[in-house]
Amino acid sequence: MILGAALLMLSGDVMLGRGIDQILRHSVDPVLYEHYMRTAKGYVELAEQKSGPIPRQAGPEYVWGDALAILKTQNPSARIVNLETAVTTVSEPWPGKGINYRMHPANVDLLEAAHIDCAVISNNHVLDWGRKGFDETLKTLHRAGLKTAGAGSNAADAAAPAIIDVPGGRVLVFAMADRSSGVPADWEALPARSGVRLLPDLSRKTAESIARQIKTHPRKTGDRLIASIHWGSNWGYDVDSDEERFAKTLIDQGGVDIVHGHSSHHPKRIEIYRGRLILYGAGDLINDYEGISGYEEFRPDLSLLYLPVLSQTGALESMTLVPLRMKRFRLNRASTEETQWLLRTMERESRGAKFTLRKDGLIEVKP
């Protein structure tokens, strides 16, 4: 790496509630309010029917599996995930929402085990257990030393960036969500109400407004800016034209270096635009969907960890993709066939990027 460059880690959705929570050392009441399933233990049973026995009382390293050794070798300076789970024991769900994720607060050591620096929480599950559950989520994450972005105790708090020190400067993470990802309107943070930084739409006017807010935020030499956005549908490779325009406006007018999109359950297009990285949909990293049928053509058990290297000015020097597969609620190195499938998919969908399969099974990306 060039002197002053910083290696980062980005992931899509990290969903630690429901079935994942039930195999850990501490678990909340498994009751669910879904039409499909009434107990979180049912998702564990589905996964075991497909893949075999899953340990109970699992330690915090278990779910990360093979990813931990790779992260230790790569040693990124800042580790950022979209945490799509409330961290609370509150037992009253958000009325009428139907699907509610929560993880026991004592399991926050799972995030610590992977040395996560920042939890993006501008998504459609962080208030699943109401504002009381959200307050406990914030307190638990902050007490564990994690920074949060995209939701907070009021609108100003939700709009404020998480700031992470890295070689040669800092990383500032501005996070937000669009209604297209399923965030209820009542979750919007207001001047005197906690909630999510919710975009009114993805129009040019809104993009320019957000870009101005980011551009005018106090900056230091060596700052690298990330806009993390929860948007779009769960399935499909098409990128909405409004999303593309929004992302590029943040780069052109806001000085953003990475647009970190998430909500899709599988990896979508990577684009390198004017030397800056756009992930339109990073895909799920951890979830409890194992054993659920449907959408097999997208191979949702496969995932990617994104390890971009940014210069001191924020330009993308290179990026490593780590192909992984979720099995028995654990991240495993993807097989050769699985890696090649992910590589072909990224090559087919992406723009402005060159992909190379390395001898170690990781994928190198260069502008």
Side-chain angles (χ1 to χ4, degrees), residues 82 118-123 138 142 147-152 157-163 173-176 197 228:
N82 175 51
C118 174
V120 171
I121 51 174
S122 51
N123 56 59
L138 281 179
H142 293 165
K147 301 176 186 297
T148 57
D157 191 25
I163 301 176
V173 183
F174 298 84
M176 59 211 78
R197 188 184 194 189
S228 189

Side-chain angles (χ1 to χ4, degrees), residues 292-343:
I292 300 175
S293 60
Y295 300 101
E296 283 83 1
E297 68 268 29
F298 299 107
R299 302 190 72 168
D301 55 333
L302 302 183
S303 61
L304 292 170
L305 264 180
Y306 304 81
L307 304 176
V309 177
L310 299 189
S311 72
Q312 198 165 13
T313 62
L316 181 71
E317 290 185 3
S318 63
M319 179 166 63
T320 300
L321 303 180
V322 182
L324 297 163
R325 179 175 186 258
M326 198 71 172
K327 184 176 181 180
R328 298 173 64 209
F329 286 179
R330 180 186 187 273
L331 288 171
N332 301 273
R333 287 290 297 264
S335 69
T336 299
E337 182 276 328
E338 291 163 344
T339 297
Q340 290 174 341
W341 186 89
L342 284 165
L343 174 61

Side-chain angles (χ1 to χ4, degrees), residues 228-276:
S228 189
I229 313 174
H230 204 61
W231 59 6
S233 61
N234 295 146
W235 305 103
Y237 293 110
D238 290 342
V239 174
D240 190 272
S241 60
D242 288 344
E243 294 175 18
E244 183 173 342
R245 183 184 62 209
F246 198 96
K248 292 178 178 178
T249 299
L250 295 187
I251 293 171
D252 290 337
Q253 299 184 29
V256 165
D257 300 306
I258 296 179
V259 176
H260 172 221
H262 36 83
S263 182
S264 61
H265 288 327
H266 58 85
K268 297 175 72 173
R269 181 200 305 170
I270 292 172
E271 183 167 359
I272 301 174
Y273 170 73
R274 298 182 59 189
R276 267 53 185 177

Side-chain angles (χ1 to χ4, degrees), residues 36-59:
Y36 177 73
M37 189 77 72
R38 293 297 182 176
T39 172
K41 294 181 184 296
Y43 286 102
V44 182
E45 294 170 1
L46 283 176
E48 290 185 319
Q49 288 170 14
K50 178 180 179 181
S51 304
I54 296 174
R56 302 301 195 273
Q57 300 290 306

Side-chain angles (χ1 to χ4, degrees), residues 83 194 211 350:
L83 179 62
S194 65
S350 299

